[in-house]
Amino acid sequence: QVQLMESGGGSVQVGGSLRLSCVASGYTSPPRYMGWFRQAPGKEREGLATIYIRTGYAYHAESVKGRFTISQDNAKNTVYLQLNSLKPEDTATYYCAAGSFTRGGFRKSSRDYNDWGQGTQVTVSS
């Protein structure tokens, strides 16, 4: 059974940092790419970053470029999202997801993903 398990969320002050982790399990072959999304109450789910598992190619949304970084440790079946210089507007539930469609590039649509984690909450206070 495929499972994505996020961890690392929490409460931080403005300017702080967090590192989110997503462990993938149950795959007979690894997904082609994984991504991070977030959703704040009353807002649509926003694609933040994509990483291609075999090549390590990574893409980031313009809204978080320079502050958030996606990375991976294939030996641990884990994808990370480093969150730096956090702002109150970064408060949201953060989700990781996995997919295997063939087109390349930044996978910012939730429709590009088949599997989802349960989410981890990030709260940034001033």
Side-chain angles (χ1 to χ4, degrees):
Q1 180 180 353
V2 167
Q3 187 174 26
L4 300 176
M5 181 67 69
E6 302 101 332
S7 62
S11 296
V12 296
Q13 292 190 326
V14 169
S17 298
L18 286 171
R19 189 176 78 158
L20 308 183
S21 300
C22 175
V23 179
S25 61
Y27 286 93
T28 54
S29 59
R32 186 161 176 264
Y33 49 85
M34 293 183 67
W36 285 95
F37 288 73
R38 68 183 176 188
Q39 188 166 21
K43 294 191 176 182
E44 292 187 356
R45 190 165 294 193
E46 178 187 9
L48 302 175
T50 303
I51 190 164
Y52 285 78
I53 302 304
R54 185 179 64 84
T55 63
Y57 289 164
Y59 300 84
H60 299 82
E62 287 297 325
S63 61
V64 300
K65 194 174 290 185
R67 296 193 301 124
F68 293 4
T69 304
I70 191 170
S71 63
Q72 63 181 355
D73 184 337
N74 289 346
K76 297 181 179 180
N77 296 324
T78 301
V79 171
Y80 304 98
L81 188 67
Q82 179 69 41
L83 314 177
N84 295 330
S85 302
L86 283 162
K87 307 174 182 179
E89 52 264 41
D90 295 319
T91 295
T93 301
Y94 285 68
Y95 299 89
C96 73
S100 293
F101 293 105
T102 55
R103 184 176 56 85
F106 182 24
R107 300 284 192 168
K108 61 181 179 180
S109 171
S110 59
R111 295 188 297 272
D112 288 338
Y113 296 83
N114 304 113
D115 305 312
W116 291 84
Q118 83 291 345
T120 186
Q121 178 67 34
V122 171
T123 302
V124 185
S125 58
S126 56

